[in-house]
Amino acid sequence: MDSNFDPFPLRSQFPSLNQMVDGQPFAFFDGPGGTQTPDIVIDAISGYLSRDNSNLGGAFVTSERTVEVTFRARQAMADLLNARRPEEIVFGQNMTSLTFAASRAISQTWHPGDEIIVTRLDHDANITPWVLAARERGVKVRWLDFRPEDCTLQIDALPDILNRKTRLIAVTLASNAVGTIVDIGSIVTMAHDVGALVYVDAVHNTPHNPIDVQALNCDFLAASAYKFFGPHTGVLYGKYELLDKINPYKVRPAPDTPPGKWETGTQSFESLAGVEAAVTYLESILGDGAETELIELSEYQGRRRRLKQALTAIKRYEESLSFRFLREAAQIPGLRVYGITDVERLAERAPTFSISMAGLRPRQIAERLGQQGIFVWDGHYYAVAVMDHLGTLEQGGLTRIGFVHYNTAEEVDRLVGALYDLAKQR
């Protein structure tokens, strides 16, 4: 698992990484719940508020600047996701709010007797909005399960529940709880064969792997900027023809064309400045000479190519951290790692691990690690269906460890050592 990726120059751009507790630096393994932000994002947000703060549509310079900030953020996300045009990018309060709005709009095309499919591997933000919409429209909800032994989605069972009545499949690209990466391409192909739409939750995948919505051919894809080093803003990609055809709930003065007709009320423009800055940060992480450092990506050009190269490098580096963690975790008595643990299958998972330890509740593990400056999550992380299927809800869920590219091998060793100590103490 060799990787030439060097996180240390990048770490200096994150002021939060300089904090200490009892002489130990903070080790942030809480990325799945929200990543830290680099200086470029912080500066972009404060810069907008200090110089450009306005609203759209004014006949003066700060309003014109706000229009430009919004366009640049839309173009940046289009480049990150490889959308066909910036008008396919919609911004909102967060992924959950955007999905509720999308479910309300899309479900207006459903009729009693229609069906939808959700999965037990998903975050609840990609389950409950669809379930509620289906209930209101008299539509049947079918569930696609995952295998508890390795937490992989049972895609081979999809043909048994997919049919001409299916109107939509809501599915995650990567599980925020157990890290499983889903083969979206095959799901999209099967769905489109019966005329169904596919709505993808890419929130957890975005900081770890390149995304190409044209290659996936999904109809909608949602993300959250605060999961890829940006501010708390939601992002929705939709094929333009669908965004244009479907009518969301909106106020009368709002535009009648995408993307404006999907953006409810005034946006957080300072956050949009931060979104563009987060994409700029990702684009720049390999520095000069990146064009020749990775495999040829001839189908991409300019910023889109640099972003794909950067995220490919991130994926490789994070796999090396995952390898290091899984190799040592297997030796800790009483520790169980959920999901894919075979180091030969690291490409099938994100660097996110839910664990349990005999004799300790998830909260106890998180508290004891937190006292040492090692930050991890505990609970169900809104992946209620995952925890229920694994039978861990009653015990308080699981403890979640997440790596991102600013984490180091030394931090992983420190984490493993702390888990070894916990295992001895119990």
Side-chain angles (χ1 to χ4, degrees), residues 54-313:
S54 182
N55 209 327
L56 303 175
F60 45 87
V61 67
T62 52
S63 180
E64 293 169 356
R65 290 175 185 170
T66 298
V67 171
E68 181 64 20
V69 164
T70 303
F71 174 78
R72 292 201 308 266
R74 222 181 290 284
Q75 184 63 66
M77 284 306 307
D79 289 342
L80 181 64
L81 301 178
N82 198 39
R84 294 167 185 81
R85 52 196 289 189
E87 292 83 5
E88 293 183 318
I89 302 298
V90 175
F91 293 114
Q93 181 181 3
N94 48 56
M95 178 272 182
T96 303
S97 298
L98 284 169
T99 303
F100 267 113
S103 68
R104 173 183 279 185
I106 295 169
S107 66
Q108 300 306 304
T109 67
W110 302 344
H111 303 282
D114 288 343
E115 299 179 358
I116 65 169
I117 296 172
V118 295
T119 91
R120 299 193 195 279
L121 192 61
D122 271 79
H123 186 289
D124 205 58
N126 205 31
I127 297 177
T128 292
W130 305 110
V131 171
L132 294 178
R135 182 187 304 168
E136 292 178 356
R137 302 295 295 176
V139 169
K140 182 176 182 178
V141 178
R142 292 182 177 269
W143 290 81
L144 185 62
D145 285 333
F146 66 87
R147 302 172 184 87
E149 59 271 19
D150 66 356
C151 298
T152 54
L153 196 63
Q154 292 181 305
I155 297 177
D156 55 346
L158 182 57
D160 296 334
I161 58 175
L162 180 67
N163 57 67
R164 291 287 172 184
K165 297 179 180 179
T166 306
R167 295 293 167 257
L168 179 135
I169 300 176
V171 60
T172 187
L173 185 51
S175 167
N176 77 304
V178 291
T180 309
I181 295 174
V182 175
D183 178 9
I184 295 295
S186 62
I187 292 176
V188 168
T189 298
M190 287 187 277
H192 287 176
D193 283 345
V194 299
L197 301 176
V198 178
Y199 190 101
V200 176
D201 174 4
V203 170
H204 191 62
N205 184 85
T206 313
H208 305 297
N209 300 290
I211 296 176
D212 184 336
V213 292
Q214 294 188 62
L216 292 175
N217 198 26
C218 56
D219 301 290
F220 299 91
L221 182 142
S224 294
Y226 76 102
K227 299 297 178 71
F228 58 88
F229 321 104
H232 289 85
T233 291
V235 183
L236 175 65
Y237 156 82
K239 290 180 176 177
Y240 187 85
E241 58 270 25
L242 292 173
L243 294 177
D244 190 40
K245 178 181 178 182
I246 298 170
N247 293 314
Y249 282 51
K250 72 177 188 69
V251 295
R252 287 173 294 174
D256 293 322
T257 56
K261 75 176 191 176
W262 288 84
E263 293 179 338
T264 307
T266 301
Q267 296 297 300
S268 172
F269 300 117
E270 63 271 25
S271 291
L272 299 191
V275 168
E276 184 202 4
V279 174
T280 299
Y281 165 75
L282 287 170
E283 175 192 5
S284 68
I285 65 170
L286 292 183
D288 296 335
E291 294 290 330
T292 59
E293 288 181 4
L294 295 177
I295 60 174
E296 188 72 16
L297 299 170
S298 58
E299 65 269 38
Y300 306 107
Q301 300 298 324
R303 176 160 65 177
R304 298 189 180 208
R305 181 175 179 177
R306 291 189 294 274
L307 285 166
K308 294 300 179 291
Q309 289 178 315
L311 282 157
T312 299

Side-chain angles (χ1 to χ4, degrees), residues 5-20:
F5 187 92
D6 184 2
F8 288 98
L10 301 172
R11 286 175 61 85
S12 65
Q13 301 179 43
F14 289 80
S16 59
L17 302 187
N18 296 322
Q19 299 177 82
M20 308 277 285

Side-chain angles (χ1 to χ4, degrees), residues 309-345:
Q309 289 178 315
L311 282 157
T312 299
I314 285 173
K315 177 178 175 60
R316 291 177 180 176
Y317 173 68
E318 291 175 348
E319 285 179 358
S320 73
L321 297 180
S322 296
F323 179 90
R324 195 180 192 97
F325 171 74
L326 286 173
R327 181 186 59 189
E328 296 301 323
Q331 311 302 318
I332 300 176
L335 181 71
R336 177 179 176 183
V337 179
Y338 291 76
I340 295 170
T341 57
D342 183 352
V343 294
E344 299 296 326
R345 298 174 60 192

